[in-house]
Amino acid sequence: MDFTDVSLTALRVLRAVAEQGTFTAAAGTLGYTQSAVSRQIAALERAAGAELLERRRDGVRPTAAGRIVLRRATVVLDEIDATARELSGLPGQAGTVRLGWFPSAGAVLVPRALTALRRTDPGLHVAGREGGSTPALVRALRAGSLDLAVLASAPPFRPPDAESPPLVLRTLSERPLCLAVPATHPLARGDFVDVADLRGQRWIAGSSSGEERLLGVWPGLDERPEIVLTARDWLAKLHLVAAGCGLTTVPDALAPAVPPGVRVLPVRGGPQEQRRLLLARLPHPPTEAVARLAAALRAAALDLDAPGRD
């Protein structure tokens, strides 16, 4: 089969696999069986005459040939989707930007930016989605499913991936990590928490396994933490804190969004834990719409960092 005869379905499958990082996850997203996904990729690779995905023990990633196909496939699929909208009588979205963000950024930063954008650029349409972890958001950028992504970064602030070409990164803000404490907890009586007082505390963490296991536990504790509950959703963790179930870490920028019954306090007595918000995109010249959304996100971040603002 000549590559000019490949199907749109195969291109969508390739994009989904590159974005999700595994055949299994892509199959779940698309509603296909894993064997159907494998067949589509195999047919696409035969037509290309090259491997498009590097199979690794921790998943897959696009090869050089795969990145070429993904870059072109994204343009084709976007045009097909725009054509479908026009044929169905829906107005076209000439100024559409696809934005992804990690969960807690959707609580304060992204809503503020979009509110301002509706006033200044009412014709610009943002197709947004919460993208989960930083690796998932980076894969979506590389796959062409996102134009911009808001990422979280912790010391030592390494690049989010080692792929080439490097992503274009812009620091939106750098603020301290804080502690969310039940309002009735003894630690909530002061204006800060001493790191020595964190020994023996009960923690609400991000998940039960993998790299996310300790998300929510104060970094660098000199003991094995007692994790009593796990929840991936940041708001669920804060409601568990409000119920008195334990402590969890929280970015300083989330303080305005915490539920009643929670105090957000700085931690002193150890190395200051900083967290950065990054805006990431691929290294090609951004469209005007992408540039306007990026400017709105930068302005919202500056507004949050302004003295006296929540």
Side-chain angles (χ1 to χ4, degrees):
M1 178 178 66
D2 188 87
F3 196 80
T4 57
D5 295 325
V6 299
S7 69
L8 293 176
T9 298
L11 296 178
R12 292 188 191 279
V13 168
L14 176 66
R15 185 167 69 174
V17 173
E19 179 176 340
Q20 298 297 321
T22 68
F23 281 50
T24 302
T29 299
L30 296 168
Y32 296 167
T33 63
Q34 185 172 340
S35 60
V37 168
S38 297
R39 286 195 298 273
Q40 290 287 345
I41 296 299
L44 204 54
E45 289 183 325
R46 284 196 300 272
E51 283 195 351
L52 303 179
L53 296 168
E54 178 188 352
R55 281 75 166 172
R56 307 188 304 178
R57 288 200 299 177
D58 60 346
V60 300
R61 67 178 181 182
T63 62
R67 288 193 291 272
I68 292 172
V69 174
L70 282 167
R71 186 173 68 250
R72 300 294 188 181
T74 295
V75 175
V76 171
L77 295 173
D78 286 349
E79 287 298 321
I80 290 295
D81 291 342
T83 302
R85 285 196 299 269
E86 289 186 33
L87 290 174
S88 63
L90 294 176
Q93 300 287 0
T96 297
V97 184
R98 297 163 301 174
L99 172 69
W101 60 83
F102 70 97
S104 61
V108 180
L109 175 70
V110 172
R112 290 196 182 199
L114 297 187
T115 297
L117 207 57
R118 281 197 297 272
R119 294 193 300 266
T120 60
D121 290 279
L124 194 154
H125 175 68
V126 178
R129 71 181 196 193
E130 181 183 297
S133 67
T134 290
L137 288 165
V138 169
R139 286 195 301 269
L141 278 173
R142 295 285 185 191
S145 299
L146 294 176
D147 300 304
L148 286 171
V150 180
L151 310 178
S153 182
F157 302 121
R158 297 188 180 94
D161 72 357
E163 299 294 316
S164 182
L167 296 174
V168 174
L169 302 174
R170 175 80 177 259
T171 298
L172 295 175
S173 69
E174 183 171 332
R175 302 181 70 168
L177 188 67
C178 293
L179 196 67
V181 182
T184 56
H185 195 284
L187 292 179
R189 295 171 186 164
D191 294 327
F192 64 91
V193 175
D194 192 288
V195 71
D197 293 330
L198 298 182
R199 290 184 59 86
Q201 299 293 339
R202 294 154 58 90
W203 297 94
I204 300 164
S207 70
S208 58
S209 62
E211 293 182 1
E212 295 183 353
R213 174 168 171 74
L214 295 180
L215 290 180
V217 177
W218 189 258
L221 289 183
D222 59 354
E223 64 176 358
R224 184 184 180 89
E226 181 186 359
I227 299 174
V228 292
L229 292 167
T230 61
R232 290 194 174 187
D233 181 75
W234 68 269
L235 187 56
K237 288 196 287 185
L238 290 175
H239 278 290
L240 291 170
V241 172
C245 299
L247 316 179
T248 197
T249 57
V250 63
D252 174 73
L254 270 187
V258 299
V262 177
R263 289 202 68 196
V264 175
L265 298 170
V267 176
R268 298 183 183 174
Q272 190 175 35
E273 290 291 336
Q274 297 292 107
R275 295 295 182 269
R276 285 180 185 170
L277 284 182
L278 302 176
L279 189 59
R281 63 173 175 83
L282 290 173
H284 50 64
T287 65
E288 183 181 349
V290 168
R292 292 203 303 269
L293 176 56
L297 288 163
R298 291 195 297 270
L302 287 171
D303 185 54
L304 285 170
D305 284 342
R309 297 302 299 264
D310 288 335

